[in-house]
Amino acid sequence: MRPNQENSLYKGILNYNNMKKIYIFENTNSLHIEEALITHYKVFEQEYQVKFCLNNRAINRIRNNPTIFNNSMNISKFTNLVSFLKGVSKSDIVVYTTISARNIFLLYVLSLFFSKNIYYIRNANSWLSYTKHSGNAFYRAISLFTTFIKKIILKKSYQVFVANSNIKNYLVANNVETAINIVPYKFFDEDNYNLIQYHNELRVVIPGGIDISKKNLSLIRESTNILPKNALKKIKIILLGKPARQEDLDFCIAWKKEIGDSLYYYTSFISNDEFLQAIKRSHYILGMLNINFQDKYNKEIYGISKDTGIDAQAIAYGKPLIINQEYKVIDEVKTSTVGYTDSINLSDILERLSIGDQYDNISTLAMENSRKISLKNIKIRLKGL
C-alpha cells in the first residue's frame, strides 16, 4: 500500500472512531422491523456510528441483511444488555423504533440511564390520553399503565420521531413540547422510481395483506362490478399481499369469477423483489382505510394520530395515490392524490383514469412530490441531531 493510501485509510478509521454513536433499539416482533432499521441506518450512517441493539426475534428477522446483522448486538442476552448500558456515553443517542405495551417498562428503565432518548411515535393517542375503550378490563388496565409510563418518558425524551407532518402537527396541537422530527416509514429512492407509460392497461396496486375485516375491499369490488365492460377490460387490480384467512381467499375467488383477468391476487408470501417489481410496474396505488382505528387499547385516527404504510408506499415509489376522501393526506402529496367518496364515485374515477389522458400529468406531480421526501432532504433536516 502506498503512503498516501495508508494515510487516507488511517484518517478514515480515525474519523469513524471519532463519530458519535447512535444506537437503534428494537426488542419487539413488529412486522416492519427490517424496513424501520434500514430506514434509520440510511438516515444516520454518514454522520454517526450506527449500532443495532436487537432481541432474538428481531435478529432472526434481519439475519439475511448483513448491513444490520454485522452491526448488531443481541440484547436478549443479559451480559450484552449490561454491556450496552455501560457502553452508551452521554453524547450518544438511543432511538427506540417500536414502542409497545410489552416493552414499555424496559424502555422506562433504560430512560433512567441515558440522556438522549428518541422515541418513534406511530400511535399518538396512546401517548396523549388514557383510554376510554370499554373493552376487556385487563386490556384497560394495561392501557392505563402503558399510557402513564409513556407520558413520563415523553416528557423526559430528547426528541421524538414521527412518520409525517400530520402526526407532528397533531402532537404540537396537543401541547407536546419535545422536539419533533419527521423520519418517514419509507422515503423516495430514485433507484426505485420507474416511469410507467400508459399503454391501454391501467395497473392499480393495493399493497398489504388481504384482510376483509380490516380493509373495505367490498367497496372496490362493488366499483369494479359496476364498471362498463369496455373500461373494465383496460383495468388490472393487483392485491399485493396474501389472504390472511380462508374467508379472505374465498372473497378473492368470488371476486375473480366476477371480473376475470381484471383481478390478480397472490396466495402465498410475496418476496421483497416481487413486491418491488409489482409496485414499479403499477400506475396508481389504491388505499381504502377504516379511518377510525380501535385496537385492544386505544382509538386512533388514520392519517392524523396514526401513520399508515399506504401513503408511504406511494411516496417511496413516486406513484399517484387513490384513497378514500376522509383520509387526511399530507400536504406534500395532495396534488398527486385522487380522493373518492363511495363505490360509485370510485367506479367513475377508475373509468376516467382508464382513458389514460391524465396519467402523464399526475405521475409527474407524484414524482416531484415524492422528491420532497427524499433521503437527502431527510438527512438535511436531521443534520446535527
Side-chain angles (χ1 to χ4, degrees):
M1 185 180 293
R2 296 174 183 175
N4 287 343
Q5 290 177 313
E6 289 180 351
N7 289 337
S8 178
L9 179 61
Y10 174 74
K11 287 179 181 178
I13 294 171
L14 187 63
N15 288 338
Y16 179 78
N17 290 334
N18 288 334
M19 291 168 74
K20 291 180 182 178
K21 293 187 180 72
I22 190 162
Y23 293 87
I24 312 298
F25 191 95
E26 175 60 70
N27 73 326
T28 71
N29 194 30
S30 166
L31 293 174
H32 308 297
I33 283 176
E34 189 170 358
E35 284 186 323
L37 297 179
I38 290 171
T39 292
H40 283 80
Y41 179 79
K42 288 181 177 180
V43 167
F44 296 115
E45 63 174 323
Q46 291 182 341
E47 197 171 343
Y48 297 87
Q49 291 186 48
V50 182
K51 307 290 184 183
F52 297 97
C53 305
L54 312 176
N55 64 1
N56 283 326
R57 289 171 295 181
I59 287 279
N60 288 333
R61 294 281 293 279
I62 56 85
R63 192 170 294 278
N64 294 325
N65 187 314
T67 300
I68 300 175
F69 186 76
N70 294 336
N71 289 288
S72 297
M73 172 189 295
N74 188 339
I75 46 89
S76 291
K77 297 178 180 178
F78 181 73
T79 53
N80 287 350
L81 183 59
V82 172
S83 297
F84 165 60
L85 291 173
K86 290 181 177 179
V88 180
S89 70
K90 288 185 177 180
S91 62
D92 294 337
I93 295 170
V94 184
V95 179
Y96 305 89
T97 52
T98 308
I99 295 90
S100 69
R102 293 183 179 182
N103 75 347
I104 189 65
F105 185 71
L106 173 60
L107 302 196
Y108 169 71
V109 172
L110 294 177
S111 74
L112 303 176
F113 288 86
F114 314 132
S115 59
K116 292 187 175 182
N117 296 291
I118 299 178
Y119 303 94
Y120 201 116
I121 295 181
R122 302 177 189 279
N123 307 292
N125 282 340
S126 71
W127 292 76
L128 300 173
S129 57
Y130 293 102
T131 182
K132 296 178 182 177
H133 186 32
S134 58
N136 185 298
F138 173 76
Y139 290 129
R140 280 178 58 81
I142 293 292
S143 177
L144 291 171
F145 172 75
T146 56
T147 302
F148 175 71
I149 297 297
K150 283 179 178 179
K151 283 178 174 288
I152 294 173
I153 63 176
L154 177 59
K155 192 171 183 178
K156 293 173 56 182
S157 64
Y158 176 62
Q159 284 194 20
V160 296
F161 287 165
V162 294
N164 59 53
S165 54
N166 284 353
I167 300 176
K168 178 178 179 177
N169 293 339
Y170 187 78
L171 291 172
V172 171
N174 281 274
N175 303 314
V176 172
E177 297 178 354
T178 304
I180 304 169
N181 265 306
I182 297 170
V183 178
Y185 167 69
K186 279 188 168 185
F187 45 78
F188 180 66
D189 188 339
E190 293 282 355
D191 292 338
N192 288 336
Y193 180 67
N194 186 28
L195 178 59
I196 294 293
Q197 300 296 323
Y198 180 79
H199 294 298
N200 221 32
E201 182 184 64
L202 184 74
R203 298 177 65 86
V204 180
V205 164
I206 305 173
I210 303 170
D211 188 338
I212 57 176
S213 68
K214 295 180 179 179
K215 288 181 181 175
N216 190 7
L217 291 174
S218 294
L219 188 146
I220 176 67
R221 182 177 174 181
E222 291 169 12
S223 299
T224 56
N225 283 334
I226 59 177
L227 273 168
K229 288 185 178 180
N230 64 329
L232 181 62
K233 68 182 181 181
K234 294 193 288 184
I235 295 172
K236 173 81 78 174
I237 306 292
I238 300 113
L239 304 182
L240 200 52
K242 70 173 184 177
R245 301 155 302 173
Q246 182 61 43
E247 62 186 289
D248 300 306
L249 177 59
D250 293 342
F251 177 90
C252 294
I253 292 170
W255 188 3
K256 188 165 182 66
K257 286 180 180 178
E258 294 164 357
I259 64 171
D261 290 341
S262 290
L263 176 69
Y264 186 86
Y265 63 91
Y266 295 80
T267 56
S268 59
F269 176 78
I270 305 169
S271 69
N272 287 337
D273 184 61
E274 191 167 3
F275 183 93
L276 172 63
Q277 293 306 317
I279 288 194
K280 288 175 74 170
R281 291 194 301 266
S282 70
H283 296 98
Y284 290 86
I285 290 180
L286 173 61
M288 45 195 64
L289 295 170
N290 295 320
I291 302 302
N292 295 309
F293 175 83
Q294 175 73 65
D295 66 6
K296 292 181 292 188
Y297 308 110
N298 295 92
K299 183 177 181 179
E300 304 284 354
I301 306 171
Y302 270 120
I304 295 177
S305 72
K306 179 178 174 60
D307 64 1
T308 171
I310 189 71
D311 50 359
Q313 300 287 4
I315 291 164
Y317 301 103
K319 299 293 181 180
L321 178 65
I322 307 170
I323 198 160
N324 39 320
Q325 208 166 72
E326 67 264 42
Y327 177 77
K328 182 175 170 55
V329 298
I330 59 174
D331 290 340
E332 292 90 335
V333 299
K334 276 185 178 178
T335 57
S336 55
T337 299
V338 180
Y340 62 86
T341 55
D342 54 29
S343 59
I344 295 173
N345 180 229
L346 178 57
S347 182
D348 290 342
I349 288 169
L350 291 173
E351 182 179 3
R352 188 172 71 247
L353 295 179
S354 70
I355 299 170
D357 59 340
Q358 301 176 35
Y359 181 68
D360 286 348
N361 181 51
I362 198 169
S363 65
T364 300
L365 284 172
M367 183 261 298
E368 291 172 353
N369 289 340
S370 293
R371 281 183 172 147
K372 301 172 190 173
I373 313 174
S374 66
L375 175 59
K376 179 182 177 182
N377 287 337
I378 296 163
K379 284 183 174 182
I380 291 171
R381 291 180 202 164
L382 295 174
K383 192 167 181 64
L385 188 67

